[in-house]
Amino acid sequence: MSKIQFEYSEKFAREMDLKDPLSQFQNQFYFPQINDKKAIYLCGNSLGLQPKSVKNHLDRELKNWAEMGVDGHFDGEDAWFFAKNRSKPALADILGAMEHEVVAMNNLSVNLHLLMVSFYQPTKERFKIIVEAGAFPSDQYMLESQVKFHGYDPAEAIIELSPRLGEHILRTEDIISTIHGNAEQLALVNMSGLQYYTGQIFDMKSITAAAHQVGAYAGFDLAHAAGNAPLSLHDWDVDFATWCSYKYMNSGPGNVSGIFVHERFANQTELPRFAGWWGHTQEERFKMEKGFIPMHGADGWQLSNSDVLGLAVHQASLEIFQEAGIKNLRDKSEKLTGYLEYLIEQISGDSGVLEIITPKNPSERGCQLSLLINRGGKAVFDEWYDQGVVGDWRNPNVIRLAPTPLYNSFLDVFRFAQILEQSLKKFA
Ligand SMILES: *Cc1c(COP(=O)(O)O)cnc(C)c1O
């Protein structure tokens, strides 16, 4: 990204919007209202907005169901038997994967457990897992319960990485040296790809390489990375990953997750896994016979038949990603978040009220900035909300703001800055 000379002015923000090739995409989304005004929605990290095209996609499947009943499984253009295939091209683009390495299925925490069945088989010698300290709670509970399930002690088996004293983010060198320091006993590195609290992107390529060097697997929870950060899971040689579709992928509350399993496991039928009929080879599925034969690639991890209505909503959103282009989205995202960062620094200066803890280097972050609130606490956040800003508050004292390139504008960021300036006068 060439360095842009940002300015704190409405004129500048409007000029940036005029130059933005993606500026029209915001019209494809519904925005909530707060106090009768269109919200400044900076919360795509938690729940992405609804694409207007969702209704058409859903209506189409409702019509198929109404008109065909059970025949909809195999008849018509949208035959539900193949429903999971439609999302593959877009998911492959977003994750940096091959189509047979990804499949949309289940929900995120469920998928984490299923992937652990394949990629965490502890032995007395090799049973440790590395994760970042303060991982998303669901991931912590998942790891703890998996370790206990195999009869090990979480306090011994789970190694949590913390930033150095006085720092907020992890250094790659410290992650790598912890991997090497546990070389003999390490079974798995299972971190988030983009940390939900700090907004830091971990160096998945180097982490994976280090894990492989010591004979461990590397898998990532991409809840905050998918649809937000550049990903090349295949080339980075990542073993497995999972994500959700309702954050940056705008596919609706609780909608379908997905998994990535690297190509080298595509035909490894001996890898342990929990099986269900939807992972059984397609040709044989309705023979209803004994003996599970997994499908090639990620598809072989499916258990149940697809949630067709959920996939229809997911598809509406993925088509927008395809139309906008992953690279264009990333280009805009770096500028938009750079602008937010610039304005926050201009306005808060050295008042000490807040501090950005997300990395400054654009390649180490997605669109989210995490602000540590040193004075005023949640009252700062509530005040912004009353003015129409939707961000999110994370205990104990972080506000996350995520200007997303699909539906946020430079003017949104500018308007937020004005609200910030007013509120800082109160809390400074
Ligand atoms: C949002 C999020 C989840 C949520 O899990 P669900 O199973 O979809 O409820 C899990 N892990 C991380 C890191 C998240 O950010």
Side-chain angles (χ1 to χ4, degrees):
M1 183 182 70
S2 58
K3 197 94 187 118
I4 301 169
Q5 205 51 55
F6 291 126
E7 286 170 31
Y8 182 23
S9 76
E10 181 170 339
K11 180 166 166 290
F12 176 81
R14 287 186 185 277
E15 277 169 12
M16 289 298 286
D17 284 331
L18 277 176
K19 281 190 277 187
D20 169 18
L22 302 181
S23 64
Q24 295 309 308
F25 279 87
Q26 60 181 302
N27 300 323
Q28 297 195 29
F29 292 86
Y30 292 112
F31 284 78
Q33 303 265 321
I34 293 180
N35 298 329
D36 300 324
K37 278 196 317 226
K38 180 181 161 190
I40 301 174
Y41 196 81
L42 303 176
C43 206
N45 56 304
S46 185
L47 184 74
L49 292 180
Q50 181 185 147
K52 292 176 182 169
S53 55
V54 159
K55 193 170 182 315
N56 277 342
H57 279 74
L58 258 183
D59 281 349
R60 183 168 163 150
E61 292 299 1
L62 292 175
K63 186 164 176 284
N64 288 338
W65 179 20
E67 292 178 354
M68 290 190 277
V70 72
D71 290 339
H73 279 302
F74 293 102
D75 292 352
E77 269 176 63
D78 303 324
W80 303 321
F81 188 75
F82 304 105
K84 51 123 180 109
N85 290 343
R86 290 178 70 199
S87 56
K88 280 178 183 272
L91 288 176
D93 272 5
I94 290 171
L95 279 306
M98 296 161 94
E99 290 186 22
H100 68 263
E101 290 175 321
V102 292
V103 67
M105 64 180 212
N106 305 327
N107 284 73
L108 198 169
S109 303
V110 173
N111 284 338
L112 278 170
H113 278 292
L114 289 177
L115 289 162
M116 291 294 277
V117 171
S118 298
F119 295 99
Y120 183 59
Q121 302 138 39
T123 62
K124 269 209 225 43
E125 291 71 42
R126 221 177 244 287
F127 62 97
K128 293 193 174 175
I129 303 172
I130 289 180
V131 61
E132 81 270 20
F136 193 86
S138 200
D139 300 50
Q140 295 187 35
Y141 308 148
M142 179 281 292
L143 287 178
E144 186 187 329
S145 61
Q146 282 283 343
V147 165
K148 282 187 182 163
F149 173 75
H150 286 286
Y152 295 86
D153 174 8
E156 208 193 334
I158 300 174
I159 303 168
E160 294 193 341
L161 295 161
S162 295
R164 294 185 187 187
L165 212 64
E167 299 185 4
H168 296 295
I169 57 179
L170 284 172
R171 298 190 191 196
T172 304
E173 65 202 85
D174 292 349
I175 303 173
I176 306 287
S177 73
T178 307
I179 292 173
H180 286 295
N182 291 277
E184 306 297 318
Q185 293 183 308
L186 192 66
L188 176 67
V189 179
N190 192 338
M191 303 175 65
S192 53
L194 191 156
Q195 224 283 335
Y196 83 101
Y197 192 78
T198 64
Q200 177 181 18
I201 294 181
F202 297 123
D203 183 346
M204 288 171 255
K205 183 180 178 186
S206 305
I207 292 169
T208 301
H212 289 174
Q213 249 177 24
V214 305
Y217 285 126
F220 296 93
D221 178 335
L222 302 176
H224 284 262
N228 176 28
L231 296 167
S232 302
L233 299 185
H234 176 85
D235 290 346
W236 296 340
D237 222 20
V238 166
D239 294 299
F240 67 92
T242 179
W243 54 87
C244 54
S245 65
Y246 50 81
K247 290 173 179 167
Y248 293 103
M249 279 199 272
N250 310 323
S251 300
N255 200 2
V256 66
S257 162
I259 63 162
F260 165 90
V261 179
H262 197 278
E263 171 173 54
R264 70 181 160 278
F265 305 107
N267 289 321
Q268 279 204 24
T269 50
E270 71 282 7
L271 202 65
R273 70 179 94 188
F274 285 170
W277 73 324
W278 230 249
H280 185 74
T281 180
Q282 216 159 267
E283 296 71 32
E284 311 274 317
R285 193 173 301 158
F286 286 91
K287 289 194 179 161
M288 310 307 218
E289 287 174 356
K290 258 191 197 302
F292 175 69
I293 309 168
M295 290 177 81
H296 178 80
D299 289 345
W301 269 262
Q302 296 175 98
L303 296 183
S304 297
N305 74 103
S306 304
D307 171 0
V308 168
L309 298 181
L311 285 177
V313 176
H314 195 24
Q315 194 60 24
S317 171
L318 291 175
E319 284 175 10
I320 298 175
F321 273 85
Q322 293 290 75
E323 199 192 329
I326 306 297
K327 187 175 176 306
N328 296 335
L329 284 166
R330 178 61 181 175
D331 283 351
K332 174 172 174 185
S333 180
E334 288 188 9
K335 289 177 190 150
L336 200 59
T337 296
Y339 191 44
L340 177 63
E341 178 182 47
Y342 166 85
L343 292 179
I344 291 171
E345 285 173 351
Q346 286 289 302
I347 293 164
S348 72
D350 41 24
S351 70
V353 179
L354 53 84
E355 180 189 346
I356 299 175
I357 60 171
T358 305
K360 268 201 93 54
N361 178 353
S363 68
E364 290 174 57
R365 69 186 186 201
C367 67
Q368 170 192 327
L369 293 182
S370 301
L371 317 184
L372 195 64
I373 303 300
N374 294 321
R375 282 206 295 284
K378 188 151 182 297
V380 179
F381 176 77
D382 293 339
E383 153 116 10
W384 295 354
Y385 187 86
D386 282 340
Q387 304 286 320
V389 178
V390 184
D392 78 346
W393 173 264
R394 284 297 114 161
N395 282 328
N397 57 346
V398 157
I399 295 173
R400 300 182 299 174
L401 300 173
T404 70
L406 267 178
Y407 52 74
N408 286 121
S409 62
F410 290 85
L411 194 60
D412 285 339
V413 170
F414 171 79
R415 295 233 155 97
F416 162 74
Q418 288 183 304
I419 292 165
L420 172 69
E421 187 171 20
Q422 285 308 311
S423 82
L424 284 195
K425 286 180 186 150
K426 279 192 206 160
F427 296 104

